Amino acid sequence: MMALKDIIKRYKFAIILIRAIRRIQFIIFPYIFSVISFNIKKILRVSRIYKNSSYEKLRSIKGKHKGERCFIVATGPSLTIQDLEKLKGEITFSMNSICLAFDETEWRPTYYGIQGIHVFNQLKDHVTKLDVQGKFIGDTISWPKINQNDYIYPLNLLNHSQTHKKYKTQFSDNAFSVVYDGYSITYSLIQIAVYMGFKEIYLLGVDCKYPKDMNHHFKEYGHVDPTFLSAVEKMINAYKVAKKFADSHNIKIYNATRGGMLEVFERVNLETVLEKNTKLLKKSV
């Protein structure tokens, strides 16, 4: 009986051909189709040929916070309940498992975002009941019911699911047209914040690292992030794209995270930023 090794050796070319065909059939073709489909829908939407898409509500918030500042609160392990308490009164975005901390604080984000289907499936009960001024939901999620303050955004995953050597992404200042994937919901929320007109954006809890002890989140909820280094490289490369856009459009993005691996943006101290604002408010009274 011919050994498996001999069979593979004899039919090596046929095996390579079959693998190539399967890759084209199940990976390349679906990817090309998704790209074409996304762009056709975008053209119809932006050109106003089609005016009844689920993204229409986004048009109402363009420039809503022109010239203001906001805080984007990620869920890295460096975040604390005390941080959230300090942010009361500020315009804040947050995401994913932040809702698991609400039994410990009266603080609530002004806006909430989610785009990962696996994350949503684990937090569905919390997220659907969340009462905030606006929920931003990537169209990768089949949202059960769109309410008044729910905003579906068109997420272009680009090459997120493709094997590639360069972690290229893009940045959009028009969330109605497209929000580009940058390997994290934080990147999407930065684009949405820019679309809404914010000129100062402070990042908090953006640790940008996945320690081997699996302590990846402010509140653990069973979701396991990738621990390989390329996951961090992808995010950091995306943030470089965001910084390049911000610098060329007079938008300031700061990193108020304690520690972590994100050095793309100027680091600031959260307490100092908030204290400075408190002093300015007292002078204006």
Side-chain angles (χ1 to χ4, degrees):
M1 189 173 179
M2 189 179 295
L4 179 60
K5 187 180 291 186
D6 294 329
I7 293 174
I8 293 173
K9 187 175 181 181
R10 176 175 291 186
Y11 299 103
K12 184 177 180 180
F13 176 75
I15 293 171
I16 292 173
L17 181 61
I18 291 170
R19 286 178 176 173
I21 292 172
R22 289 179 67 85
R23 175 174 172 77
I24 292 171
Q25 181 181 1
F26 296 107
I27 299 177
I28 296 178
F29 274 179
Y31 174 69
I32 292 174
F33 176 79
S34 67
V35 170
I36 293 173
S37 176
F38 184 94
N39 286 320
I40 289 174
K41 290 177 181 177
K42 182 176 76 170
I43 291 169
L44 293 175
R45 181 171 67 252
V46 174
S47 64
R48 310 306 295 145
I49 294 173
Y50 181 58
K51 300 181 181 180
N52 295 315
S53 73
S54 57
Y55 314 113
E56 280 295 312
K57 288 172 63 178
L58 287 169
R59 299 178 69 238
S60 67
I61 59 171
K62 181 178 181 180
K64 180 179 179 179
H65 293 282
K66 187 176 181 180
E68 297 183 70
R69 78 172 185 180
C70 70
F71 293 78
I72 297 181
V73 183
T75 56
S78 66
L79 186 69
T80 67
I81 293 294
Q82 289 71 31
D83 291 333
L84 303 181
E85 291 290 325
K86 293 170 186 174
L87 290 171
K88 289 178 181 178
E90 297 285 347
I91 301 174
T92 55
F93 292 76
S94 199
M95 63 202 72
N96 297 349
S97 61
I98 195 69
C99 49
L100 299 181
F102 291 167
D103 59 346
E104 300 177 57
T105 175
E106 294 179 358
W107 170 87
R108 295 292 182 271
T110 315
Y111 302 106
Y112 174 88
I114 191 165
Q115 67 187 28
I117 184 61
H118 299 298
V119 176
F120 173 69
N121 287 338
Q122 289 176 288
L123 299 170
K124 185 176 181 179
D125 291 341
H126 296 279
V127 175
T128 52
K129 296 175 184 176
L130 184 57
D131 183 19
V132 291
Q133 284 189 32
K135 290 179 194 173
F136 294 103
I137 306 126
D139 61 2
T140 46
I141 296 173
S142 296
W143 195 248
K145 179 183 178 182
I146 300 177
N147 295 311
Q148 183 179 354
N149 294 329
D150 294 343
Y151 299 87
I152 309 297
Y153 60 87
L155 179 63
N156 188 336
L157 288 171
L158 294 172
N159 51 20
H160 188 119
S161 302
Q162 303 298 310
T163 302
H164 54 284
K165 294 180 180 179
K166 295 183 179 180
Y167 312 128
K168 290 185 177 180
T169 189
Q170 298 178 57
F171 192 93
S172 169
D173 62 351
N174 185 353
F176 174 66
S177 173
V178 58
V179 172
Y180 290 108
D181 174 67
Y183 308 100
S184 73
I185 177 68
T186 304
Y187 189 80
S188 297
L189 291 179
I190 292 174
Q191 293 171 84
I192 291 171
V194 168
Y195 177 69
M196 296 176 77
F198 289 102
K199 284 295 186 179
E200 276 188 36
I201 300 171
Y202 294 87
L203 307 181
L204 183 64
V206 186
D207 292 52
C208 243
K209 65 178 181 179
Y210 298 117
K212 292 181 180 179
D213 63 5
M214 304 308 287
N215 180 28
H216 295 173
H217 305 104
F218 167 52
K219 293 291 180 182
E220 295 298 340
Y221 57 105
H223 179 73
V224 179
D225 286 310
T227 55
F228 39 83
L229 185 59
S230 63
V232 175
E233 292 175 353
K234 288 178 180 179
M235 288 189 291
I236 290 177
N237 273 279
Y239 288 132
K240 287 178 180 178
V241 174
K243 178 173 171 50
K244 184 177 180 180
F245 180 92
D247 289 348
S248 63
H249 289 79
N250 196 30
I251 298 168
K252 302 296 184 183
I253 304 178
Y254 301 99
N255 184 11
T257 303
R258 282 181 297 278
M261 296 177 63
L262 181 60
E263 303 297 342
V264 173
F265 307 108
E266 178 185 345
R267 284 189 177 268
V268 294
N269 179 273
L270 176 64
E271 288 73 17
T272 302
V273 172
L274 295 174
E275 183 182 3
K276 182 179 177 181
N277 188 56
T278 301
K279 288 180 179 178
L280 289 173
L281 287 173
K282 286 181 178 179
K283 284 183 179 180
S284 64
V285 174

